Amino acid sequence: MDSGMDWHAARAALEWQVELGATDAIQDTPVNRFEAAPPAPARAQAPAAAPAAHTPEDDPIAEAEAAAAGAQDLGALKAAMAAYPHCDLRRGARNLVFADGVPGAPVMIVGEAPGRDEDREGRPFVGRAGQFLDRMLDAIGRKRDAESAGHAVYITNVLPWRPPQNRTPTAQEIAMLLPFLRRHVTLARPRILVLMGNASCQALLGRSGITRLRGHWDEALGLPALPMFHPAYLLRNPQAKREAWADLLELQARLRGAG
């Protein structure tokens, strides 16, 4: 190819390129690598995958709702809770603590979670706090083992398994097990709910702050609900027993009025 350069000029240009570091001749014409490369041809885009369906198998709360809805009686509900695999508390607990008292009693007490004694025996409110609760109920003529259902109570907790070191239940744990608690209330058929402590108020009222909530009637799951101090709190704070006694009298008056 005639480049318009004589032999001497071409040699001088080649020597100059060698001095700059060129080692191989690749093309007849130089390529400016700083020029923008032409856009690559567009590739066909694969259609976006449709979002996965929201099924109980990949959602612990949805699975709890399905399991709870399928329980037709209290025995089936307990079995469904025992089979529920997603709450890690079960791994460190000795027993599932389901309930105590008389199903169908007019009052259903909802506590927070089992403690050491409850975890060992598999029944709610059997330790010091439970013994104090029994004395509180006896003062207004109520017992968990009363022969007459009209004077009995039914007792459960928000969580059926003991949290490590009796720590406060987390919001995730409450949300995960709330479907079972709702079904529990439906199957137990109480007329009044007593919510003892912050966890039960958070679960069924969506609010906490027991010192503000206690003694004021509210509604949970379509039933009258009375927040009260937890007996364990009263053992630590004896000065609050006056308010607890006032709440018990309020509960007694409501029960008498309800017939």
Side-chain angles (χ1 to χ4, degrees):
M1 180 177 72
D2 185 7
S3 63
M5 300 176 63
D6 61 18
W7 181 88
H8 296 286
R11 176 174 179 142
L14 179 61
E15 289 175 348
W16 178 72
Q17 291 182 47
V18 171
E19 263 190 62
L20 292 178
T23 57
D24 297 284
I26 299 176
Q27 295 178 229
D28 291 337
T29 57
V31 176
N32 186 349
R33 302 294 180 185
F34 294 99
E35 288 182 354
R43 295 181 179 179
Q45 298 292 326
H54 202 57
T55 63
E57 289 74 14
D58 56 24
D59 184 337
I61 296 178
E63 185 170 336
E65 290 172 345
Q72 299 304 308
D73 55 40
L74 292 172
L77 182 66
K78 183 177 180 180
M81 293 172 73
Y84 182 70
H86 299 294
C87 184
D88 290 340
L89 294 178
R90 59 182 291 143
R91 299 178 183 174
R94 294 183 181 182
N95 287 297
L96 181 146
V97 180
F98 183 67
D100 197 16
V102 179
V107 177
M108 182 172 182
I109 296 172
V110 182
E112 297 188 346
R116 181 188 58 191
D117 295 323
E118 291 76 15
D119 181 42
R120 183 173 58 245
E121 295 192 27
R123 294 168 53 226
F125 285 93
V126 295
R128 287 185 64 231
Q131 295 165 17
F132 186 61
L133 173 61
D134 287 341
R135 295 199 297 272
M136 292 169 62
L137 295 171
D138 188 60
I140 60 169
R142 302 280 157 177
K143 293 180 182 293
R144 69 173 83 193
D145 57 354
E147 294 182 3
S148 167
H151 291 87
V153 295
Y154 186 68
I155 305 173
T156 190
N157 284 308
V158 173
L159 303 185
W161 295 290
R162 180 193 181 195
Q165 307 301 317
N166 292 345
R167 64 161 171 76
T168 301
T170 66
Q172 181 182 14
E173 291 163 348
I174 292 174
M176 192 181 300
L177 294 165
L178 183 55
F180 294 109
L181 177 59
R182 289 174 175 154
R183 186 62 176 162
H184 203 158
V185 173
T186 298
L187 294 172
R189 305 183 311 278
R191 297 203 307 266
I192 291 174
L193 295 173
V194 173
L195 311 181
M196 288 192 155
N198 273 320
S200 54
C201 290
Q202 184 63 52
L204 294 179
L205 299 178
R207 302 191 303 279
S208 58
I210 191 62
T211 55
R212 298 188 308 273
L213 296 173
R214 58 136 296 268
H216 300 285
W217 285 99
D218 211 313
E219 183 176 304
L221 305 180
L223 296 170
L226 181 64
M228 291 182 60
F229 287 129
H230 195 283
Y233 175 86
L234 297 173
L235 291 175
R236 297 191 304 268
N237 301 274
Q239 70 277 8
K241 290 180 180 179
R242 176 180 297 181
E243 288 86 353
W245 176 241
D247 296 345
L248 285 170
L249 294 177
E250 181 66 25
L251 174 60
Q252 184 181 49
R254 187 69 173 249
L255 285 166
R256 287 174 175 170

